[in-house]
Structures are given as structure tokens and as C-alpha cells.
Amino acid sequence: LGADKFVWKMATSWPDGTILQESATSFADQVTKMSNGRLTIKTYPAGVLMGALEVTDSVRMGVIDAAHSSPSYSVGQLPAAPLFGYIPFGMEAIPYLTWLYEGEGSQLLDELYAKFDLGYVAPCGIIPSENLAWSNKPITKMEDFKGLKFRTSGYWGEILSEAGASVMMLPAGEVYEALQRKVLDAGEFSIPNIDKDLAFYEIADYLLVPGIHQTSTILDLKINKRSWNKLPEDLKEIVRVAAKATTIELLTKCIVRDVPALDFFKEKGVKIQYLDPEIQKALAVKAAALMEKKSANDPFFKKVYESQKKFRTGYDQYKALMTPSFK
Amino acid sequence: MSPEISVALMFATLFTGIFLGFPTAFVLGGVAFLFGANFMGADIYGLFIARLFGLMKNYTLLAVPLFLFMGVFMEKSGMAERLFNAMHILWGRFRGGLGISTIAISAIFAAATGVVGASEITIGLMALPVMLAKKYNKSMACGAICAGGTLGILIPPSVMIIVYGPIARISVGKLFLGCLVPGLLLTLLYMLYIGIRCYFRPQDGPPMPVEERQATVKEKILILTTSVIPPALIIFSVLGSIFFGIAAVTEAAAVGAVASMVLAASYGKLNVGVVKDACRQTLSITAMIMMIAIGATFFSTVFVALGGDEVITSMFMNLPIGKWGILFTIMLLLVFCGMFIDWMGILFIIVPLITPIAAELGFDPVWFAVLVMVNLQISFLTPPFAYSIFYLKGIAPPNVETIDIYRGVMPFVGLQVLAIILLIIFPSLITWLPSHLIY
Amino acid sequence: MKIIRSIVKAIDAISETSAKIIIWLVMLLTVVIGYEIFSRYVLNQPTKWSFDLSYMIGGTFFLLGEAWTLKKKHHVRIDILYNRFSPKTKALVDAVLYLVFFFPLWGGLFYALLPYVAFSWEIGERSMQGYWQPIIYPFKTVMPIGVGLLVLQGFAEFLRNIVFVCNGGEIR
Ligand code: NA
Ligand code: NA
């Protein structure tokens, strides 16, 4: 290797063949092309070099140069991390990205990972609203959650438990069968086009939307300090620009595949239900209470949550004024 | 070092270490470290830590100790002896009847447990002395026990299927159904082989004298009910809780463990000493299997980091022999690896390499996976590294030489190859059930 | 020689004693999962904790058992060539291969695990597998303990072989 040539290893949290791994590879390809091969990034899907949840620790320790993951996966180490990945009733893509790129979010993201002593961290992909649930039972009123055997994790699990559901944890690989064999009544996994690949439509009667538990999800790029500091300024800029380009590319690619995926489910006889707005409101109240509880436990969580609340107030007013309504 | 040279050197070092007789698990890990450190220095430890922790928190792998625990209790319950007596009565008057009974019991045990060891040892302890006393051909008797034992890991439930599913990203339920018919096919082939061989060569498996299998109809019914119903209940508790949606697969293994404990208790064979002994056996086999999983995972991680996966893939894809030629080569490679590495090692090292190749060639993923698993049965029987032979050697009377066992398993290896050929010619033997049975 | 003998015996005793406790974890695992199924179907209330607790018990079970399994020589080896060696050659080959294959990996791993686990304690890391999200640093601490015990037992095996090669007889 010449003095000015770099080869990086980047591990991701995504299984091979998913749209998320596709976006990681696309990011790497862009960097290689833009740098004319001076910086090449070899990507490793989840499970090849390490498990999905191991990538952040590994980039911190310098085992790999870069990690493509979601801040949410760091919740165990950093309680405030979900605020940068997704929270129930969080922001939609445009305001979320605005807060992260141009608002206080950018500064706070650095602060979040301060203990990890990383070289660079930035959003590198966002996915739109997820499917709320694949279900064997219809959910049309709040009582329907009572005793519902539901597979999910994180904050949403806590909120659904509050609502009376029997929340169960199962590894992703077991969800399909557990639903099929009715060990589970319902479960959530991801966005329509990913769920389509996993064939949940074959086994569940109902698809519940919208993804109030995961309105949009940020993926991020983390780079080890030693690796980052070795790069000359022009290559650093290429990484920054490619990460930003990947963000928007993933969003639009998801939408263009999610639209036909929903049609496809209908064709397959899945009953798509839009969750009653009253239920959404009731759950939002529970979610807000949970967020306040988390804020009380962790000063940094509170700082970020307050920043988002402030930003959302301003944005909501703007949106109310500037969104046309002529349908 | 180019990836091609790394790959060659890695395997060369691996086989050298294994042949020098160092424990396989530690050779796998040691080779991974030597090559990994050469490639990325002390950072390799970080990668190994991530891998080790991944294995420790793997929920699916909990099925390994649980199925072992269950198997040990089944062994201690004395259920096998009762079954064997019952099978005697059913098959004893035929030539080769004891051999056929051995296979039948093996298949029944296989449908209740998920591993090879415990059931093979149980059946071997009981069936081998009887067959030897009845002047059965020594080799054939050993082969039948070894081959019957391997059914444990093919007929569902099976730890091999449970581990395979996530590696290849195929639903474990589909693989369970996919392995069912091949498992029964092998059972049938083994029985036919013994039956036909002994029909033409009665000296290899003489029928039992009439006086030894006399029983009144009433006695027969009693023996059959007390011996066949309990295992049937265990099979039902495990497979039933999986297929009727009471429990996920790992959980079903725990159900089975409880059920076999209950069975042992109902036969009056349960006490603190037995439980403690079962726990000890479970720990030693689990730790042994998991150390191989750890070593193999480290090995495959370094192998991929060095670009070995690309070397293998391009090597296969560039073979000018068409898709069936490549399939044949893969099957041969598996048999070769199976001689030296245990199934867990092969699953972690080879399956991630060949699964994308099979997809590229357009093979049905479930069909291919089941074919690989039937092939991995062979690894239990092929020396020098052959679990089934190790187990039998551990319990066989001294007049049974290792060479008798080697000679005995070979016809059964041939039957396994025959089964693979049949499954390739008639793929629906594998695919029909998973695609049609809606449970 | 006498000191080496007592070191080896002390290490053996550590592995044996640890196994006496560890073996019961599989029973505990069965009970935990059994209770989860009971709770889900009979009480109609799945537990929050059984998922996380299960893999923690299972992971602890096998890793802490590795040292004892090594002591019991239950890690399988291919013996076609090995069995033709004289007992002394066996011991010598084993000792050398411990230096080549065993200590660099497991000794170094033990050393690398210390800061890894310390970081987990420092930030009060929690599990992110399920939604119970219990603290996970105690479970991560099982890694240096298990690997440490294994390295220790490996050291004992190494000494055993060396003593045998040097005509010191077998240490049982
Ligand atoms: Na089985
Ligand atoms: Na073999």
C-alpha cells in the first residue's frame, strides 16, 4: 500500500441481502469511487465478522475501522441512544434529519458517543415508518391489547406491557414460526419491503399500521479515532459527503419499495388496518410518560429529550402553517 | 500474503495440528489466532471477544445443553431396555431381527432427542451384548448401532437443524419438516440392508430361538404398552409443543428435559445422585461441543477477514463442470471435511461459504440445506474423527476391535451416499413436506 | 518438583470445585424455561426476565465448565497418529502444542478481556437483547473468569506434561 492508500474494514448490523446492508455497501462504493480507490472500505454483514450488536464496541476498540449500525443498538451502554435512533412517537424523517444535521442534534450526537472516543460519527441512512404489527388478531380498541402475546423489544415493549399486552422476547429468526404456530399473537419486525422478504404475509391475517412505535429510524456511521486521524482532509470530506448522500438514498429507496410492498400484501389477502387515532393518542400519552420517567433518571437523556421537544414545537407550528391541504 | 496462500496455509496448519493429536477445538482456535494476529495484530483479540460473547448470549444454542440433559435422563430412565425387549418380541423371529430392532429404537429415540451421543450409548450398551451373544456378525452389529445413532441428529428435533437454520437464514420449522422424510428414508434403508443381508447370510444375524420369544398375547400387549407409550409421550411432548405452538424450539428442549425427568421418576429411577450425574455429563459434553463451536467460529472469522470466503467462492464458481458438477464437488468436500472436523465446526466454517454458492446456482435453499445435513451424517461415521465410533468404542466389550467398527460402518456410509443420490434425483422427498404441510 | 506438583494439584482442585457448582446450572436453566412456559400458559403472563436469564445461565454454564472439561480430557482429539507415540513423545508433543496453539490465544484473550469488561462496569452496561434490559456486566465478567480458569488448567496440563517428560512421573 502506498502512503496515501487506505483499506478499511466496516462491519454492519445488517444481515446480507437486506436493503440496509445494500445501503452500507453503496456507501462504501461511493467512497471508493470518489476517492479514486485511495480509500476502499470492505463491508462485512452482521454475523460474518461479528454479531449485529457487537459492531460499536469493536469500532471503539479498533478491531474494525468503521461500523454501520443504528444508535438504538447502543441503548445498553448509552441510555440516551434511542433518542438518536428511534423512539415511540418520535419524529418523522424530515424533521428528524433537520434536527440532526442542522439543529442541536449534531452536537448532541457527538456528546452521546464521547465516552467511546470515536474519530467520526454521523447519520448514514434513515428508514421511514415501520409496520406496527403482524397480527393474528384484529386490534380495533384498546382492550384488544390485553393479553395479546406480542413480540417486540425496548421502550415499545414497556409501553405495550402498560397497555396490558404480554410482551415476549424472541430472536428475530424465531418470529416467523412463532407467529405461524401462534406462540405469538402479534409481532413487529421492520418496514414493509423488509417484512415482505421475510414473508410475514404468509402467516399473519392482519397488518397493523402506522409505525407509531418507530416513526423513522436513523442509521449511523462510526469511525475509530486512530483510523480517522490517519486520513487526509480530502478523504475525510469524501466520507462525510458519502454518508450524507447515503442517508437520503436509503430513505427514497425504502419508500419506492414500500409503496408496492403494501399493495402486494393486499393482493395476498392480508387485512391492513390503520390503528384508530384515539388508540394512537392513548398510547402516545403512555409513551410521553415513559420518556419523562427516563428523563428523570438520566440528565443527558433529559437534555436531548428537551432539545427534541423544543425543536418539535417549532417545527409543528411551521408544518401546520406550511403544509397544503387541498385533498 | 495473498488470500489464496493464506487459505492454503491455514488449512495446512489446521490439519497438521489435528493430526498431531492436539484437541481439535484448540487447534481450530490456535490456528485462527496465529493467522489473525499475523493479519491484524493484537486487535484480533477484540474480534474474538465479540465472537465469544456472541456465542455466550446465543439463545438458540441453549438447545444444546437442554437436549443433552434430556437425552441423559432418557438413558437413565431405563426406557431403552423396555423398548428393546418389546422390539425383540416384534422382530425376533426374522433373520437380522435384532439389528432391525436396533435401528427402529434408534429412530424412536431420534424423534425424541436432538443429539447423537446419549441415545447411541444407551442403545449400544443394551443391544451390542445381546447381538454378540446371539452370534450376530460383529461388524454389522457395530455398524447398525453407529448408523442408528446418527439418526438422532437428522430426524427432528435436532440440534444440528437448530444451529443450521440461523447460519443459512432458513426457518428452522421448514428444515425440521424437510429432514423428516430423509430421516425416515435412511431408517428404511438401514433396516432393508440388515434384513436383506441376513436373509441371504443368516449366519450374520440368526433369528432368535422360539423359546426366547414366547409370550402370550396378553403379555405382549402389556410389554408393548409400558414400553412404547412413554417414549411416544416424550416424542409428543417435544415435537407436539413445537408444532402445536406451545413453545419455541429452545423451549421445547426444556419441555423434553422435564418430560424425561418425569419418565425417569415414574420408572423409579430418579434420585439426587442420578440428577447430579446427569448434570455432570451434560456439562462435560456441552463444554466439549461449545469449545469446538468457539474454535470454529474464530477460525471462520479469521478465514473471512483474510478473504478466504472469496477464494473459495470464486474457486467453485470457476469450475468448468456446471451446477451439478459443483454440487458433487461440494458434497465431496463435505465428506472430506467430515473425516477431520466435527459437524459443529463444519456448520460454522463451511456452511456460510457454500450457502451463497448454492443460491447463486439456483438450488432450492431448503433442499440444499437438508442435503448438506444428510451429508453431515457421514461425518459421524468416517474415521479418523467420528463421534459415533468414539462413543461405541467407549462402551464396547474388549473383544470388539476398532477395526471391526470401521469395517461395520462402511456399508452404512454407502447407504448414506445412496440416500443423498436418491434425494438429488427425487428432490420432492425433501421439499414436499415443508411446502405442503401447514401446521 | 514438589512445588510444581502441588501447583498442578491446586489448579486441579480449583477446576473440580468450580464444576461442582456449575453443573447445577443446567437444572436451573430447565427450571427457568419451564417456568416461563408455565407462566405463559397457566398464568397467561409471560415473564419479562426468562429470556435474558436463560442465555446468561447457558453462557455461564458452558464457559465456566471448560476448565473442568479440559482437566477431564473430554476435548476430543484425533488419535490415529497420537496413539502410536510413546507416552513421553505424547507429553512432549502436547507441551509444545500448548505453547503454539493454546496459550497465545487463551492467555492473550484473558488479558484483552480485562479492559473490555472494565469498560462495561464503568458505563453500567445493560443488556439490549430483550426488553427487561438487566445489567450485563456481571455476565460479561463471566468471560475473564471462565477464560482465566481455562488458562490456569491449561497451565496445569502443560506442567503435567513437562514433569512427565523430565522423568518426574505422572501427576494424578
Ligand atoms: Na432427533
Ligand atoms: Na468423521
Side-chain angles (χ1 to χ4, degrees):
Chain A
L1 291 184
D4 196 27
K5 271 207 162 184
F6 302 88
V7 179
W8 278 5
K9 289 188 285 292
M10 179 168 90
T12 78
S13 297
W14 327 119
D16 206 5
T18 59
I19 191 170
L20 306 181
Q21 179 59 22
E22 220 178 278
S23 81
T25 321
S26 156
F27 163 76
D29 289 346
Q30 289 173 37
V31 170
T32 306
K33 273 188 201 148
M34 285 197 277
S35 69
N36 199 17
R38 283 165 59 220
L39 173 57
T40 35
I41 303 180
K42 181 150 173 36
T43 57
Y44 297 94
V48 172
L49 278 191
M50 62 194 70
L53 297 179
E54 258 59 70
V55 298
T56 301
D57 249 351
S58 296
V59 80
R60 173 180 71 78
M61 296 190 291
V63 176
I64 45 175
D65 305 281
H68 192 242
S69 183
S70 168
S72 291
Y73 286 167
S74 294
V75 60
Q77 296 180 316
L78 308 166
L83 292 163
F84 299 87
Y86 73 91
I87 53 168
F89 300 96
M91 286 182 265
E92 287 172 53
I94 297 294
Y96 211 169
L97 290 176
T98 311
W99 177 76
L100 265 168
Y101 279 128
E102 307 299 335
E104 293 171 344
S106 145
Q107 179 84 44
L108 291 168
L109 184 64
D110 286 337
E111 222 176 295
L112 172 77
Y113 287 119
K115 276 183 199 157
F116 288 14
D117 201 26
L118 298 170
Y120 180 66
V121 54
C124 187
I126 184 166
I127 57 178
S129 174
E130 292 210 338
N131 289 326
L132 180 56
W134 292 93
S135 176
N136 289 319
K137 293 179 177 172
I139 295 162
T140 51
K141 49 189 185 303
M142 204 63 181
E143 286 70 50
D144 291 338
F145 283 110
K146 286 239 154 60
L148 193 75
K149 292 198 283 292
F150 198 102
R151 183 267 183 189
T152 185
S153 57
Y155 296 162
W156 191 238
E158 296 183 46
I159 294 165
L160 286 186
S161 301
E162 280 278 298
S166 293
V167 178
M168 274 169 67
M169 187 51 217
L170 273 184
E174 288 194 28
V175 177
Y176 177 96
E177 286 152 72
L179 267 173
Q180 182 174 36
R181 292 182 287 105
K182 313 238 184 313
V183 173
L184 288 173
D185 297 319
E188 56 95 7
F189 196 74
S190 191
I191 52 177
N193 79 76
I194 293 181
D195 285 358
K196 181 183 165 210
D197 290 342
L198 293 169
F200 288 120
Y201 60 87
E202 290 176 357
I203 42 155
D205 299 330
Y206 298 93
L207 169 61
L208 205 61
V209 289
I212 46 178
H213 66 303
Q214 203 158 344
T215 37
S216 64
T217 310
I218 301 281
L219 316 188
D220 67 352
L221 170 72
K222 301 181 198 87
I223 296 170
N224 175 267
K225 194 171 208 168
R226 205 174 46 185
S227 310
W228 179 250
N229 287 345
K230 279 186 202 155
L231 288 191
E233 197 48 47
D234 63 327
L235 289 183
K236 285 184 179 168
E237 191 60 17
I238 286 176
V239 170
R240 291 187 193 106
V241 170
K244 212 162 191 176
T246 305
T247 304
I248 186 76
E249 186 189 75
L250 179 59
L251 179 66
T252 49
K253 278 202 171 141
C254 283
I255 293 173
V256 84
R257 292 184 204 181
D258 281 353
V259 172
L262 287 171
D263 283 338
F264 176 81
F265 298 149
K266 273 184 228 159
E267 273 170 40
K268 290 285 169 183
V270 176
K271 298 180 199 71
I272 302 184
Q273 294 188 318
Y274 185 85
L275 187 67
D276 184 341
E278 290 306 315
I279 301 181
Q280 293 189 35
K281 271 181 209 159
L283 290 167
V285 172
K286 289 187 196 297
L290 182 69
M291 291 299 118
E292 294 299 342
K293 203 173 98 191
K294 303 272 169 199
S295 290
N297 292 338
D298 184 307
F300 182 64
F301 190 104
K302 185 181 171 75
K303 186 176 168 187
V304 179
Y305 187 57
E306 294 300 325
S307 164
Q308 290 190 348
K309 272 207 295 201
K310 195 177 83 195
F311 175 83
R312 289 177 77 164
T313 313
Y315 180 80
D316 287 347
Q317 287 166 5
Y318 155 87
K319 191 182 169 192
L321 290 172
M322 302 308 279
T323 307
S325 63
F326 47 81
K327 273 187 276 186
Chain B
M1 232 191 309
S2 81
E4 285 80 7
I5 295 176
S6 306
V7 167
L9 279 179
M10 265 184 101
F11 278 109
T13 321
L14 178 69
F15 286 125
T16 309
I18 290 181
F19 267 112
L20 285 175
F22 205 58
T24 309
F26 295 128
V27 180
L28 280 165
V31 172
F33 173 75
L34 295 177
F35 283 79
N38 180 44
F39 174 61
M40 56 193 286
D43 286 341
I44 194 70
Y45 287 123
L47 205 51
F48 290 161
I49 291 174
R51 280 310 207 179
L52 178 60
F53 191 54
L55 286 169
M56 286 182 67
K57 63 180 182 179
N58 187 320
Y59 185 78
T60 311
L61 283 178
L62 293 177
V64 173
L66 291 171
F67 273 128
L68 283 168
F69 199 44
M70 168 183 172
V72 176
F73 271 113
M74 285 178 62
E75 176 195 337
K76 299 202 180 298
S77 69
M79 175 183 119
E81 284 156 23
R82 287 164 188 261
L83 258 179
F84 196 64
N85 289 336
M87 291 297 156
H88 252 184
I89 291 169
L90 277 181
W91 301 96
R93 66 196 143 101
F94 298 109
R95 293 174 183 177
L98 287 176
I100 293 173
S101 307
T102 303
I103 300 293
I105 299 169
S106 300
I108 293 173
F109 262 69
T113 67
V115 286
V116 165
S119 62
E120 190 191 316
I121 291 170
T122 320
I123 294 165
L125 274 173
M126 174 188 69
L128 189 58
V130 180
M131 283 198 273
L132 294 181
K134 302 293 171 209
K135 301 276 181 297
Y136 265 57
N137 177 294
K138 221 192 275 180
S139 288
M140 190 191 72
C142 292
I145 292 167
C146 288
T150 64
L151 290 172
I153 209 149
L154 185 64
I155 295 179
S158 146
V159 173
M160 180 167 9
I161 299 174
I162 293 168
V163 176
Y164 197 109
I167 293 178
R169 289 212 300 283
I170 303 173
S171 130
V172 172
K174 276 189 185 161
L175 290 181
F176 268 23
L177 289 172
C179 283
L180 197 58
V181 174
L184 297 176
L185 174 70
L186 273 174
T187 309
L188 189 71
L189 287 176
Y190 295 162
M191 286 175 151
L192 280 175
Y193 166 73
I194 296 172
I196 293 172
R197 173 172 167 170
C198 296
Y199 181 79
F200 289 110
R201 291 172 53 88
Q203 67 271 34
D204 285 351
M208 305 249 302
V210 181
E211 61 272 23
E212 283 188 33
R213 49 186 170 78
Q214 261 177 348
T216 64
V217 174
K218 204 175 154 193
E219 280 169 339
K220 280 184 184 177
I221 290 173
L222 184 73
I223 292 171
L224 281 177
T225 42
T226 56
S227 59
V228 173
I229 289 180
L233 285 178
I234 292 200
I235 294 170
F236 186 78
S237 74
V238 176
L239 287 183
S241 48
I242 292 172
F243 289 116
F244 294 111
I246 292 165
V249 178
T250 308
E251 295 170 341
V255 173
V258 173
S260 53
M261 250 185 273
V262 172
L263 178 70
S266 71
Y267 284 164
K269 296 261 169 93
L270 194 70
N271 57 51
V272 180
V274 166
V275 175
K276 192 174 165 187
D277 204 33
C279 290
R280 280 171 68 92
Q281 279 187 38
T282 307
L283 177 60
S284 104
I285 306 177
T286 305
M288 186 263 282
I289 290 181
M290 288 308 293
M291 190 43 91
I292 290 175
I294 293 169
T297 308
F298 289 2
F299 186 90
S300 78
T301 305
V302 170
F303 191 75
V304 170
L306 292 175
D309 54 336
E310 282 158 15
V311 173
I312 299 285
T313 310
S314 71
M315 205 175 78
F316 271 110
M317 297 312 285
N318 290 332
L319 288 175
I321 49 180
K323 89 186 226 185
W324 298 105
I326 295 176
L327 181 74
F328 176 76
T329 316
I330 290 177
M331 289 294 131
L332 217 57
L333 173 78
L334 286 170
V335 172
F336 178 75
C337 290
M339 291 164 69
F340 306 101
I341 312 175
D342 100 316
W343 62 275
M344 195 74 143
I346 296 174
L347 281 194
F348 280 106
I349 297 171
I350 310 285
V351 169
L353 301 178
I354 58 177
T355 302
I357 296 176
E360 186 97 346
L361 295 174
F363 291 126
D364 178 88
V366 173
W367 174 79
F368 181 75
V370 174
L371 212 55
V372 171
M373 285 189 277
V374 174
N375 190 317
L376 287 182
Q377 300 276 289
I378 298 176
S379 77
F380 284 88
L381 300 183
T382 48
F385 195 103
Y387 273 131
S388 281
I389 296 177
F390 293 162
Y391 292 138
L392 190 64
K393 224 160 65 176
I395 54 159
N399 67 332
V400 173
E401 311 252 341
T402 310
I403 193 73
D404 295 324
I405 309 182
Y406 285 167
R407 213 177 279 141
V409 296
M410 283 311 141
F412 292 91
V413 171
L415 293 174
Q416 290 172 329
V417 173
L418 174 64
I420 293 176
I421 295 170
L422 289 174
L423 295 171
I424 291 174
I425 300 175
F426 306 106
S428 57
L429 287 173
I430 296 173
T431 53
W432 192 86
L433 214 48
S435 58
H436 283 83
L437 195 67
I438 293 167
Y439 53 84
Chain C
M1 230 30 154
K2 215 169 194 178
I3 299 177
I4 297 180
R5 233 166 242 282
S6 25
I7 292 176
V8 172
K9 287 197 166 164
I11 296 175
D12 284 353
I14 294 173
S15 297
E16 282 289 350
T17 314
S18 61
K20 280 197 178 113
I21 308 161
I22 296 309
I23 55 165
W24 294 103
L25 287 180
V26 65
M27 193 73 203
L28 185 64
L29 178 65
T30 310
V31 170
V32 165
I33 297 183
Y35 180 79
E36 158 70 14
I37 297 168
F38 172 79
S39 177
R40 190 189 315 151
Y41 288 97
V42 181
L43 313 179
N44 207 14
Q45 183 63 55
T47 66
K48 216 176 175 180
W49 42 264
S50 83
F51 177 81
D52 287 285
L53 205 57
S54 303
Y55 68 74
M56 285 181 181
I57 295 170
T60 307
F61 177 68
F62 80 77
L63 196 66
L64 292 189
E66 293 296 352
W68 173 71
T69 307
L70 179 60
K71 190 206 161 245
K72 304 289 279 181
K73 303 200 186 323
H74 279 171
H75 291 294
V76 279
R77 45 170 105 218
I78 288 188
D79 54 8
I80 33 171
L81 211 59
Y82 191 76
N83 274 352
R84 298 188 187 172
F85 296 160
S86 72
K88 260 210 179 141
T89 315
K90 276 185 187 169
L92 184 66
V93 169
D94 266 352
V96 171
L97 294 185
Y98 265 102
L99 292 177
V100 175
F101 289 129
F102 186 86
F103 293 116
L105 170 63
W106 293 102
L109 201 60
F110 175 73
Y111 187 71
L113 274 164
L114 299 177
Y116 172 82
V117 173
F119 184 78
S120 182
W121 280 80
E122 193 184 309
I123 60 173
E125 184 171 1
R126 292 180 164 271
S127 165
M128 22 190 182
Q129 305 278 313
Y131 81 111
W132 184 36
Q133 303 189 342
I135 51 169
I136 199 154
Y137 41 90
F139 179 52
K140 280 197 166 173
T141 310
V142 168
M143 284 200 277
I145 296 175
V147 172
L149 286 172
L150 178 67
V151 172
L152 213 54
Q153 188 61 47
F155 184 60
E157 299 302 318
F158 175 72
L159 288 180
R160 215 189 296 270
N161 285 316
I162 292 290
V163 167
F164 188 77
V165 171
C166 301
N167 293 322
E170 237 178 306
I171 308 176
R172 285 174 197 277

